[in-house]
Amino acid sequence: MMNLRKSSKKQAKIKLALQGCAGSGKTYSALLLAYGLCSDWTKIAVIDSENGSADLYAHLGDYNVLPLLENFTPETYMEAIGICENAGMEVIIIDSISQCWDNLLEYHANLQGNSFTNWQKITPRMNAFMQKILQSERHIICTMRCKQDYVLNEKNGKMVPEKVGLKAVMRDGIDYEFTIVFDINMKHQCVVSKDRTNLFINKPDFMITPTTGQIILDWCNDGVTVEMIRSKINNSKSIEELTSIYHQYPEWYQQLTSDFMQKKAFLQEQKTNNQSINYSPNFVRYGSNATTACAQN
């Protein structure tokens, strides 16, 4: 059933991607962002598929590392996210998701039969991985390696080759999945290539700091939470009001259905009880004879 509703800004957990060449500072920048999002190093976890690169910045604080060793399937990544969630992490850094895509490409190349139809064995697994990221109730920062090339730029009167990033090593269109995508260059500066928050659109190149994460956190916390909606449901006075509240937030049906059904049952019982209490027979009794009230008037 389709229902037209008013738009509303809801509180969210950021799903952000950092893409750049090797050496551009993706891991370091991700850690600074993560700290800005939660202000507690012990609540940050790095799922590390980059041969221990996460440990290079241990001087920053006591964050957690979950290494992935040679097993980069989507299912392994999803299991790792679950471990971090169950451990109470507030921010999860996946460094990087490019290995997952490389793993699927290799698997696809080794499949027998029609190459086109074989994608039916790949796409659902990648979709499941992305849904695990998007539906997580944690802030998640993903890094992606970029294919790289060199261009000649003039410097001090000489033409000097500089490394530049090209396309991210990931499925086409992956940037559509994230709320923000930052491109980081070899000077460790970044520019936003996608931004649904409008916080960084048309901004000059800048270096990521914890303040960047704090700015994003403020945006995430500006809006309606599921607890606010739950409170509205509990305070509703009628089934009509309750149903109206419920249909305003279809994306949270799964979380709110139990509260809705309990409140609906309570209101229905209350209505039934009120009808019983307000009932008054339309007759008066004299001895053993019952006479209608209207007949006595």
Side-chain angles (χ1 to χ4, degrees):
M1 180 178 178
M2 294 185 291
N3 293 282
L4 191 65
R5 62 176 180 83
K6 298 291 184 182
S7 63
S8 63
K9 168 70 168 61
K10 302 168 183 64
Q11 290 191 8
K13 298 297 182 181
I14 199 66
K15 303 301 184 282
L16 183 150
L18 295 170
Q19 57 185 15
C21 298
S24 59
K26 297 185 296 296
T27 306
Y28 185 74
S29 297
L31 285 165
L32 296 181
L33 270 174
Y35 184 71
L37 286 167
C38 69
S39 301
D40 186 349
W41 288 110
T42 65
K43 294 297 184 180
I44 298 170
V46 182
I47 299 172
D48 182 13
S49 64
E50 295 282 352
N51 298 315
S53 64
D55 292 305
L56 298 176
Y57 309 105
H59 62 280
L60 290 175
D62 295 327
Y63 56 87
N64 305 275
V65 178
L66 179 58
L68 300 185
L69 303 175
E70 299 181 356
N71 188 1
F72 305 131
T73 65
E75 294 74 22
T76 301
Y77 276 89
M78 288 188 284
E79 181 183 357
I81 293 172
I83 291 172
C84 294
E85 291 173 334
N86 294 335
M89 298 295 106
E90 294 182 12
V91 186
I92 302 171
I93 299 171
I94 308 178
D95 187 32
S96 73
I97 60 174
S98 293
Q99 279 85 347
C100 179
W101 185 239
D102 284 340
N103 177 275
L104 289 176
L105 290 179
E106 182 179 356
Y107 175 73
H108 178 264
N110 292 326
L111 288 174
Q112 300 296 319
N114 185 280
S115 175
F116 180 78
T117 57
N118 280 340
W119 281 108
Q120 297 175 3
K121 303 176 182 178
I122 304 296
T123 302
R125 296 174 64 195
M126 190 64 200
N127 289 344
F129 174 41
M130 291 308 305
Q131 286 304 308
K132 179 68 174 178
I133 292 174
L134 298 176
Q135 294 176 6
S136 175
E137 296 184 359
R138 306 293 190 270
H139 299 292
I140 295 186
I141 301 170
C142 298
T143 69
M144 297 185 290
R145 290 186 282 106
C146 283
K147 296 177 182 178
Q148 58 193 44
D149 201 353
Y150 289 87
V151 296
L152 292 175
N153 288 324
E154 186 176 354
K155 187 175 181 180
N156 298 327
K158 297 181 180 180
M159 300 303 292
V160 179
E162 290 187 5
K163 188 192 296 184
V164 294
L166 301 176
K167 184 179 177 183
V169 180
M170 238 301 159
R171 181 172 71 178
D172 287 345
I174 196 67
D175 52 331
Y176 291 109
E177 308 285 0
F178 295 98
T179 306
I180 300 175
V181 179
F182 284 131
D183 297 340
I184 305 181
N185 61 30
M186 295 308 296
K187 296 178 181 178
H188 313 309
Q189 297 175 328
C190 78
V191 64
V192 71
S193 58
K194 185 216 177 157
D195 183 11
R196 288 178 178 165
T197 70
N198 290 318
L199 294 171
F200 306 99
I201 293 293
N202 298 322
K203 302 291 187 193
D205 293 4
F206 64 96
M207 295 187 71
I208 288 175
T209 68
T211 301
T212 312
Q214 292 168 3
I215 292 171
I216 295 172
L217 180 64
D218 289 341
W219 179 88
C220 290
N221 291 338
D222 178 25
V224 180
T225 68
V226 69
E227 292 303 325
M228 293 177 185
I229 304 169
R230 189 169 282 129
S231 177
K232 287 184 179 181
I233 288 176
N234 292 333
N235 292 329
S236 57
K237 305 300 183 183
S238 67
I239 293 178
E240 291 75 14
E241 180 186 358
L242 174 67
T243 304
S244 176
I245 294 170
Y246 184 65
H247 286 316
Q248 287 179 28
Y249 308 99
E251 66 273 34
W252 283 342
Y253 278 173
Q254 186 174 357
Q255 295 98 315
L256 297 173
T257 296
S258 176
D259 300 88
F260 172 77
M261 296 304 296
Q262 290 179 17
K263 185 64 177 183
K264 182 179 180 181
F266 172 80
L267 291 172
Q268 287 175 331
E269 182 180 359
Q270 188 179 53
K271 184 177 181 180
T272 301
N273 292 338
N274 289 338
Q275 288 174 342
S276 299
I277 293 173
N278 294 331
Y279 172 71
S280 58
N282 193 28
F283 62 83
V284 293
R285 181 176 295 277
Y286 295 96
S288 60
N289 296 319
T291 308
T292 61
C294 61
Q296 298 295 318
N297 295 328

